Amino acid sequence: MPNQMEPRRGSPRPIVVTGKSDADAGRAMRTADVLCTVLGGAAVLALATGCGTVTDGTATTTSAAADSPHIFNPCTQLSDDVLRANRVDPATKSVTTDPAEGPSSWRICKWSSIELPYFLSVASSSHTVQETRANERETGFRDVMIGPRTGLIHQDKIDTRGEVCRVAIPAAQGMFVISAAWRASQPITRDRCELAVQHAKDLEPHLPK
């Protein structure tokens, strides 16, 4: 299944993909890449977030920082009703990272849209919007109001086709990142940033301030 981001060329790769075709492996790394390079400095973040492996398209952390806070878990704390209201199918949930034990700097799940060929990804993190803004690998920064919060639209520089758009919104724990990721095999017919912003606005009341 397609995931969030294109692998970044020339950067360290603390993620290993197995059990997939080459095309699927590249797409699987797209979401997993959030864990290690969405904020820049992959080697540093590998220590901070506990980057690990991706098996059958699912990323797992191996050494989350011991002092990482307990953060909101979108994989378990977004209700089926909320997901359906966002026009995604709860049954299609795919876990990117959600360690079963201990704290984690990232918890990420995604769901398939029931209307168009894209995925909605919801990431919860103890990292911040400011860190995302400082990431030299990101581009297209635009501020946008998401309810009462000022969100940050951004995209991956390597994603030249513009398949993925993300909106980071601040929270006391750090931030949430809402992404719309178009299926690579499908022609693009909708603006991904518009989709991501609308989902962020719909989800904002259900995400801790």
Side-chain angles (χ1 to χ4, degrees), residues 18 32 47-48 51 54 74 80 89 92 95 101-103 108 110 125-126 133 146 148 151 153 183 204:
T18 60
L47 297 175
C51 295
V54 177
D80 286 357
D89 181 358
T92 62
V95 176
E101 297 180 2
I108 308 173
K110 65 170 186 168
S125 181
S126 59
R133 192 186 293 272
I146 304 297
I153 296 171
R183 292 179 183 269
E204 190 277 331

Side-chain angles (χ1 to χ4, degrees), residues 120-203:
L120 166 65
S121 175
V122 182
S124 175
S125 181
S126 59
H127 295 287
T128 67
V129 175
Q130 288 74 20
E131 289 175 88
T132 301
R133 192 186 293 272
N135 181 7
E136 294 181 355
R137 294 188 174 111
E138 298 294 303
T139 189
F141 295 114
R142 288 176 283 156
D143 289 336
V144 59
M145 291 307 300
I146 304 297
R149 311 187 222 191
T150 301
L152 179 67
I153 296 171
H154 56 291
Q155 293 179 278
D156 190 342
K157 285 182 179 178
I158 204 68
D159 181 14
T160 56
R161 188 169 180 251
E163 292 175 3
V164 183
C165 188
R166 303 187 291 278
V167 180
I169 61 175
Q173 67 169 44
M175 67 175 174
F176 296 99
V177 182
I178 314 303
S179 306
W182 205 265
R183 292 179 183 269
S185 62
Q186 299 296 316
I188 296 174
T189 59
R190 285 284 300 275
D191 187 294
R192 280 71 61 217
C193 291
E194 288 182 4
L195 291 169
V197 168
Q198 187 57 59
H199 281 301
K201 289 179 177 180
D202 292 342
L203 287 166

Side-chain angles (χ1 to χ4, degrees), residues 95-107:
V95 176
T96 302
T97 184
D98 183 19
E101 297 180 2
S104 177
S105 296
W106 290 94
R107 294 188 186 274

